[in-house]
Amino acid sequence: MEGRAIRGVVAGALCALTLYVARAAVVTETGQYAQAQGQAKITSRLSLTEGSLGTQTLALAQYPLHSNSPLKRYALTEGEMMHVVVVRDDFQTFGHLHPLPSQSGTFRLPVRLERGHRYYAYVSSQPAGLPEQVFRFVLQSGTATHNLTTTVRGPSTRVRTGPYVVFLDQTRLRAMRKQSITVDINRDAHSPGVAAPYHVAWVRAILVNTSSLTYAHIDGANARGICCEYALVAPPLSKGLYKMWLQFNDGSSVYTAPFTFAAR
């Protein structure tokens, strides 16, 4: 009799623990508006579901203010309805991803977050009839974080990515002023494939202020006519240290070059 009672208590405890874990496996968060300019015109919500084998799934839904009906109509930006930029809180990892939409208005995206680290997810979209909206979410896999404070050294102006050496021509920009950022993308003459001079198919950049965590992006660049120099027009940036991920496509692959510079 006593043995059955103990087994019943254990079974009940295990059931309660299973229910708790199931509930804890899904974390829902409302995003913070992340652009330095403008203001939130919608509400953005994200759910992170822990899966098996260290994988997670993001579920994203956006709503008109004071409404519970998900938005379903978006203008395409760079050919996509939604962009998700995932950055580890030490700014050493970066991913630019595109979730898949559903008829219900929910976007889903599988991700793999390293355990014990915190991540920032920036969700960028342009709902029909509205300006671009960018929201920031804080993601975490597991409970302990390795990086409770962030230290980013700067500046960094020379990066090797794939067969390319990329140079950032500026280490400082003027704060709160629209201006050009110039980069040189040079293919290593000893790398197989097309030899320099060669112009890449497209160039874009994503910038994050490492203190305020505000977000900005540059959709395209203009070739300067000097091989292989490109000019990117940056929006007004508040003061601070910035991490910039320059992405470009040479017709066969997408490459990412991380830089650091200051706005003063």
Side-chain angles (χ1 to χ4, degrees):
M1 187 75 177
E2 183 180 355
R4 286 198 299 270
I6 292 174
R7 286 196 297 270
V9 170
V10 171
L14 288 175
C15 181
L17 179 61
T18 301
L19 182 60
Y20 171 79
V21 170
R23 287 178 177 171
V26 180
V27 178
T28 302
E29 181 182 351
T30 299
Q32 291 185 298
Y33 189 76
Q35 289 180 297
Q37 291 81 34
Q39 59 183 347
K41 302 290 186 181
I42 61 172
T43 300
S44 187
R45 296 194 184 103
L46 176 150
S47 295
L48 174 66
T49 303
E50 293 280 351
S52 59
L53 303 176
T55 62
Q56 297 85 24
T57 299
L58 303 183
L60 292 151
Q62 302 193 118
Y63 306 84
L65 296 178
H66 314 297
S67 172
N68 292 319
S69 299
L71 292 164
K72 298 181 181 180
R73 296 177 58 240
Y74 292 85
L76 297 182
T77 58
E78 298 181 9
E80 302 288 346
M81 293 177 68
M82 185 175 289
H83 303 262
V84 178
V85 170
V86 181
V87 180
R88 204 170 70 185
D89 69 343
D90 59 0
F91 299 96
Q92 297 303 305
T93 66
F94 169 87
H96 185 165
L97 310 167
H98 303 112
L100 296 176
S102 67
Q103 292 183 347
S104 67
T106 299
F107 294 76
R108 297 189 183 279
L109 179 69
V111 295
R112 185 181 290 273
L113 305 178
E114 185 180 349
R115 284 202 160 289
H117 278 283
R118 183 175 52 203
Y119 291 79
Y120 304 120
Y122 292 89
V123 177
S124 171
S125 66
Q126 187 172 346
L130 293 176
E132 180 191 31
Q133 300 283 283
V134 181
F135 292 87
R136 182 181 67 252
F137 299 87
V138 180
L139 310 179
Q140 190 168 301
S141 179
T143 55
T145 48
H146 294 165
N147 301 291
L148 296 177
T149 59
T150 299
T151 301
V152 179
R153 296 179 180 178
S156 62
T157 57
R158 183 184 185 276
V159 174
R160 176 72 184 251
T161 176
Y164 295 94
V165 179
V166 187
F167 297 89
L168 178 66
D169 291 344
Q170 297 96 336
T171 59
R172 293 184 181 181
L173 295 179
R174 298 288 297 274
M176 302 311 297
R177 182 175 299 183
K178 192 174 182 179
Q179 59 207 293
S180 290
I181 300 175
T182 54
V183 294
D184 300 293
I185 302 174
N186 300 300
R187 190 179 180 97
D188 187 341
H190 300 291
S191 297
V194 179
Y198 178 75
H199 285 291
V200 299
W202 54 256
V203 183
R204 67 186 177 206
I206 292 167
L207 304 90
V208 172
N209 185 309
T210 61
S211 296
S212 66
L213 301 179
T214 53
Y215 172 100
H217 68 92
I218 305 170
D219 287 339
N222 297 318
R224 296 290 295 269
I226 306 170
C227 185
C228 296
E229 187 175 286
Y230 297 84
L232 301 91
V233 179
L237 301 173
S238 58
K239 290 183 179 181
L241 191 65
Y242 283 81
K243 192 77 176 187
M244 179 176 82
W245 292 271
L246 182 81
Q247 294 191 287
F248 61 92
N249 188 326
D250 67 353
S252 60
S253 299
V254 176
Y255 298 94
T256 301
F259 296 101
T260 309
F261 66 87
R264 303 190 186 280

